[in-house]
Amino acid sequence: MANLTLIFAEGAVEPTAFGMNATVWVSIAMLVFLGILVWKGVPAAIAAMLDKRIAEISKQLTEAEQLRLDAESLKAEYEAKLAAAAKEADDMRARAESEAETLVAKAKADATALIGRRKQMAEDRIAAAEATALSEVRAATAKAATAAAAALIAEKHDAKADKALVDQAIAGVARG
C-alpha cells in the first residue's frame, strides 16, 4: 500500500498561487498573524499579565515567610512559657517538699514534747497516788495503832493502874 501512495504522489501536481506553494503561504500567514499580535501589543499584555502574576506570587511568598516567622516567634514564646511553667512547677514541688519536711520535723518535735509532758503528768499522778496511798496507809496504821492501844489500855489498865501512872507522872514532873 505504501507503494501505491508513492505512485499517486509522483504523478500529482502541487497547487501554487502566485508562484508560491502552500508552505510559503502558511509561513506568510503566520508572519502576518505574529505581526498583528505585536502591533496590537499582545506580547506586552502577556508580559504585564505574567508580571502581575509574579508580583502576586512574590507577595504570597512574602506573606508566607512573615507567617512562618510569626509562627516561629509564637513557638519560641510558648516554649519559653512552657519552660517557665516547668521551672515554676519544680520550684513549687521543691517548696512543698521543704514545707512537708518542716511540718514532719515540727510534728515529730511536738509529738516528742507531748510524750514528754504526758510522761511527766503520768509520773506526777503516780507520785501523787503513791503519796496519797502512803498517807492513807499511815492514817490507817495510826488509827489501827490508836485503836489497838486504846483496846490494850482499856483491857490492862483499871482505875488503880491509872492512879499509879498519874502519880508517877506527877513525881517525874516535880523532879524535873
Side-chain angles (χ1 to χ4, degrees):
M1 189 132 166
N3 289 339
L4 187 58
T5 307
L6 285 176
I7 292 173
F8 288 129
E10 284 179 18
V13 177
E14 200 172 304
T16 61
F18 301 111
M20 295 182 276
N21 65 10
T23 305
V24 175
W25 282 108
V26 168
S27 298
I28 292 172
M30 194 63 175
L31 285 175
V32 169
F33 177 72
L34 290 176
I36 292 172
L37 288 178
V38 169
W39 178 62
K40 290 290 188 178
V42 171
I46 291 173
M49 182 179 67
L50 290 175
D51 287 344
K52 181 180 173 185
R53 183 72 180 139
I54 288 170
E56 287 177 18
I57 291 171
S58 176
K59 180 182 171 187
Q60 289 174 353
L61 286 174
T62 303
E63 288 175 358
E65 180 66 21
Q66 184 60 41
L67 288 174
R68 185 184 66 78
L69 291 174
D70 290 345
E72 287 178 358
S73 166
L74 284 173
K75 178 184 174 192
E77 180 182 334
Y78 283 111
E79 285 175 348
K81 285 182 180 179
L82 180 63
K87 184 180 181 305
E88 185 177 339
D90 287 342
D91 291 345
M92 288 174 69
R93 183 184 50 78
R95 279 194 310 271
E97 286 176 355
S98 174
E99 288 175 8
E101 288 173 3
T102 303
L103 288 174
V104 166
K106 185 176 186 289
K108 284 181 181 178
D110 289 348
T112 303
L114 179 64
I115 289 170
R117 284 193 309 272
R118 293 220 175 155
K119 181 179 176 185
Q120 186 61 42
M121 287 171 54
E123 288 173 356
D124 291 345
R125 284 183 188 160
I126 290 170
E130 286 176 352
T132 302
L134 187 59
S135 71
E136 287 175 0
V137 167
R138 284 181 182 159
T141 304
K143 189 176 182 184
T146 305
L152 281 173
I153 290 173
E155 192 179 300
K156 295 200 176 193
H157 287 289
D158 54 3
K160 193 179 191 186
D162 283 339
K163 184 174 185 250
L165 277 176
V166 170
D167 288 339
Q168 191 179 25
I170 292 173
V173 171
R175 283 189 237 150

